[in-house]
Amino acid sequence: GENVEQHPSTLSVQEGDSAVIKCTYSDSASNYFPWYKQELGKRPQLIIDIRSNVGEKKDQRIAVTLNKTAKHFSLHITETQPEDSAVYFCAALDSSYKLIFGSGTRLLVRP
Amino acid sequence: DTAVSQTPKYLVTQMGNDKSIKCEQNLGHDTMYWYKQDSKKFLKIMFSYNNKELIINETVPNRFSPKSPDKAHLNLHINSLELGDSAVYFCASSHSSGGEQFFGPGTRLTVL
């Protein structure tokens, strides 16, 4: 079955710097890759997603890139702000329509 | 306005008890899910229903039984609760299998 690995597990950046979180997946049939942000005590919320027919997608300060050949995808946050501090999860939708999550990255943006 | 709602928000109970968590979505979605988030924040799919039909049933003890009375509701019943069942349980829904998933607020279950 699908396996998703996520790195780093924790990331601390200065406000205004960029943050990059990387994920790899194992099932080449996976075709949908969402990223979720979870603040403390709250629900996971979708922040951006990408399907396997595109290589990059941008939404303001957030971008996601996908390399199907290497089976990895990354989240890029530019001009980080303290309110970006949260746990970020990548996920991959496998061929059985199961969303398999990475283990999460705790992002801390220092003011 | 709430899209995906769950009750209760907190559930504290003794080992061996039976409890239920309810989930409702008003988005008109066809597919609903239950996830378990453990103390290390790891999110894992448990079940999925599409139009009241079970389509995903992960390796979950049979003490856990989902029930979907209609497309807008997916409840989770847990028998003979164990300490290891303590976790946050999230319900989610999507327009169809493979679509964007919207999560409920979660139910924090504590088994003493």
Side-chain angles (χ1 to χ4, degrees):
Chain A
E2 175 66 283
N3 183 47
V4 177
E5 294 197 359
Q6 182 171 348
H7 299 281
S9 55
T10 58
L11 180 58
S12 180
V13 299
Q14 195 69 40
E15 182 177 358
D17 287 350
S18 294
V20 180
I21 302 170
K22 298 184 179 185
C23 289
T24 59
Y25 61 99
S26 59
D27 185 355
S28 54
S30 292
N31 61 8
Y32 173 62
F33 307 92
W35 285 87
Y36 284 84
K37 175 183 180 182
Q38 187 177 27
E39 296 175 358
L40 191 62
K42 300 283 178 70
R43 74 188 79 194
Q45 290 202 291
L46 182 78
I47 54 170
I48 196 166
D49 56 11
I50 192 167
R51 294 201 180 262
S52 56
N53 56 348
V54 297
E56 184 174 357
K57 186 175 175 181
K58 238 180 171 178
D59 182 3
Q60 299 182 352
R61 296 186 297 108
I62 293 172
V64 57
T65 57
L66 171 65
N67 183 327
K68 276 168 43 181
T69 306
K71 294 205 281 271
H72 66 69
F73 56 115
S74 301
L75 178 72
H76 304 252
I77 307 174
T78 57
E79 299 169 32
T80 53
Q81 300 165 4
E83 50 265 39
D84 294 330
S85 297
V87 179
Y88 290 80
F89 292 95
C90 64
L93 189 75
D94 75 8
S95 45
S96 330
Y97 296 111
K98 277 186 285 186
L99 200 55
I100 307 300
F101 282 84
S103 52
T105 296
R106 188 174 298 277
L107 174 65
L108 174 65
V109 180
R110 305 186 306 273
Chain B
D1 275 351
T2 307
V4 184
S5 58
Q6 291 177 230
T7 53
K9 192 167 171 59
Y10 300 97
L11 188 49
V12 182
T13 188
Q14 299 285 334
M15 267 175 54
N17 284 350
D18 304 338
K19 290 292 177 188
S20 292
I21 308 172
K22 295 187 174 183
C23 178
E24 177 181 359
Q25 54 95 3
N26 62 6
L27 297 166
H29 286 168
D30 286 342
T31 311
M32 296 184 73
Y33 312 81
W34 278 110
Y35 287 88
K36 179 180 180 181
Q37 186 170 46
D38 62 23
S39 57
K40 293 183 179 173
K41 301 294 185 193
F42 194 64
L43 264 168
K44 191 166 167 31
I45 180 81
M46 299 172 70
F47 301 103
S48 174
Y49 271 73
N50 188 59
N51 267 318
K52 303 195 301 173
E53 188 180 328
L54 182 67
I55 56 169
I56 294 174
N57 186 354
E58 281 296 273
T59 310
V60 175
N62 57 15
R63 299 181 294 103
F64 289 78
S65 53
K67 281 198 171 51
S68 182
D70 55 59
K71 228 171 62 160
H73 296 84
L74 180 61
N75 303 323
L76 183 65
H77 188 76
I78 316 169
N79 288 329
S80 305
L81 279 155
E82 300 178 358
L83 294 176
D85 298 332
S86 295
V88 180
Y89 292 85
F90 285 100
C91 175
S93 73
S94 63
H95 183 257
S96 60
S97 305
E100 176 185 340
Q101 294 186 22
F102 294 82
F103 282 76
T107 296
R108 182 174 293 277
L109 171 66
T110 304
V111 182
L112 303 173

